[in-house]
Amino acid sequence: VQLQASGGGLVQAGGSLRLACTASGSVLFVNGMAWYRQAPGKKRTLVADIRGSTTDYADSVKGRFTISRNDALDTVYLQMNSLKPEDTAIYYCYADIRPEYSDFDEGYWGPGTQVTVSS
């Protein structure tokens, strides 16, 4: 099982980016999915998560970011609008996955994708 993220890049303040993260391999089903971010010199923090149709957001991104998922594709998205320089970070996806070979959910991290917002 692995997660692969895409969609990061460089954007000017006020711009938008859309991140995507897809689970592949021996996936039976995917439960909760989330995006975290880690800025230089700071701890990794939760940006948004989604479980079923229930979503939750960090206060700093509410109203600007939207998390969604496509269960048929085992993919989670993060639409980021009105980006600010303080959103600059490496963004990591996370998923609770039930592998085909296990009776328990296991947590998996994607490799991270860089988002840079210039002022």
Side-chain angles (χ1 to χ4, degrees), residues 23-59:
S24 63
S26 301
V27 177
L28 184 60
F29 55 82
V30 181
N31 284 316
M33 304 184 85
W35 288 95
Y36 288 74
R37 67 186 180 187
Q38 187 167 18
K42 296 188 177 181
K43 297 192 299 184
R44 190 175 300 187
T45 58
L46 178 67
V47 176
D49 63 35
I50 183 167
R51 185 171 294 271
S53 60
T54 300
T55 59
D56 194 21
Y57 297 90
D59 288 343

Side-chain angles (χ1 to χ4, degrees), residues 4 12 15-16 23-24 28 30 36 39 41 52 61 73 79 90 93 98 101-102 106 108-109 118:
Q4 187 60 48
Q12 288 187 329
S16 298
S24 63
L28 184 60
V30 181
Y36 288 74
V61 306
L73 299 178
Q79 178 66 43
I90 298 175
C93 61
R98 178 70 56 87
Y101 48 80
S102 175
E106 299 179 8
Y108 292 86
W109 288 95
S118 63

Side-chain angles (χ1 to χ4, degrees), residues 62-111:
K62 283 181 180 177
R64 300 188 297 121
F65 291 10
T66 302
I67 189 171
S68 60
R69 61 191 289 172
N70 184 324
D71 290 334
L73 299 178
D74 289 333
T75 298
V76 62
Y77 304 96
L78 186 68
Q79 178 66 43
M80 305 184 293
N81 298 329
S82 302
L83 282 160
K84 304 176 181 179
E86 51 263 44
D87 294 318
T88 296
I90 298 175
Y91 284 70
Y92 298 90
C93 61
Y94 173 87
D96 287 320
I97 295 173
R98 178 70 56 87
E100 293 176 346
Y101 48 80
S102 175
D103 292 331
F104 304 97
D105 290 355
E106 299 179 8
Y108 292 86
W109 288 95

